[in-house]
Amino acid sequence: MPTITHYQPPFELPIITLIAKEGKLIALDWFTQKSEKLLGMSTDDFEYQKMDALDKQSANGQVLYQAIQELDEYFDGKRTHFDVALDLSSGTAFQQKVWQALLSIPYGQTISYAKLAERIGKPTAFRACANANGKNPISLIIPCHRVIASDGGLGGYTGGIGIKKVLLGLESKTLDDAK
């Protein structure tokens, strides 16, 4: 049974829902309803554990605890890459390819949907890449917020443009502070 918990990030961002199954993170999303829809599950399918009472002896508890630690470090500007184990099997082969490509976008940098399509060897599939981006079940850790429109506009984001601006601003500030 998947384990679900909630994490409150700083910067007045909304609560993040985290879901682990079989010792891997399967969802990180800003809204519980989307996570449920993405994974085809209802809240009855989850074992809920409060963040401060995670069962760190279970595989799911360990991965959720690690994800929370890594999120804390990310929001503190101390982490630029996530190491938590991920399960991307909820996506199609194409979606998984796009999500893997998203993982290669360096911290603090952005690429266009067209560049993302080129990276997966499908240069004309930028709209399909945008759709796969929008179905990313582990947003933030799989950094779909780093993909922007070809004209330099922000494009969309699963949690909303306000959250995307905060995340890109955080990454830009961390890089500026490191100089």
Side-chain angles (χ1 to χ4, degrees):
M1 173 177 280
T3 305
I4 186 171
T5 195
H6 299 290
Y7 170 82
Q8 178 61 63
F11 312 117
E12 299 182 26
L13 290 169
I15 290 173
I16 293 174
T17 299
L18 297 154
I19 305 172
K21 182 180 177 183
E22 298 175 5
K24 292 186 178 178
L25 193 65
I26 62 170
L28 180 155
D29 202 45
W30 302 98
F31 305 103
T32 304
Q33 298 88 350
K34 184 168 185 249
S35 298
E36 292 171 13
K37 183 178 174 187
L38 278 172
L39 300 170
M41 299 176 171
S42 73
T43 50
D44 296 336
D45 297 320
F46 303 116
E47 173 192 1
Y48 176 74
Q49 292 183 6
K50 289 186 178 180
M51 188 175 80
D52 58 355
L54 282 172
D55 174 10
K56 295 179 195 128
Q57 302 304 312
S58 72
N60 288 346
Q62 288 174 5
V63 77
L64 290 171
Y65 183 75
Q66 179 184 351
I68 289 165
Q69 285 184 306
E70 291 182 9
L71 286 168
D72 282 342
E73 292 166 0
Y74 171 83
F75 285 115
D76 284 344
K78 298 175 184 168
R79 177 172 287 275
T80 60
H81 175 79
F82 292 90
D83 298 314
V84 66
L86 306 177
D87 178 349
L88 305 180
S89 65
S90 66
T92 66
F94 178 81
Q95 289 169 338
Q96 290 178 39
K97 192 171 190 176
V98 170
W99 300 338
Q100 287 293 338
L102 292 171
L103 289 167
S104 71
I105 304 170
Y107 180 91
Q109 294 184 25
T110 58
I111 65 168
S112 67
Y113 293 102
K115 185 61 137 178
L116 181 61
E118 287 174 23
R119 284 190 178 183
I120 65 162
K122 304 270 187 191
T124 61
F126 54 90
R127 283 191 183 94
C129 284
N131 287 333
N133 213 29
K135 291 188 167 96
N136 172 9
I138 310 174
S139 62
L140 177 57
I141 289 177
I142 298 176
C144 52
H145 62 280
R146 296 180 189 151
V147 183
I148 60 172
S150 293
D151 66 2
L154 288 181
Y157 183 63
T158 187
I161 295 299
I163 293 173
K164 186 172 188 170
K165 285 180 183 177
V166 169
L167 298 177
L168 292 174
L170 169 70
E171 292 181 13
S172 175
K173 180 182 179 332
T174 300
L175 290 175
D176 289 344
D177 290 349
K179 291 179 184 176

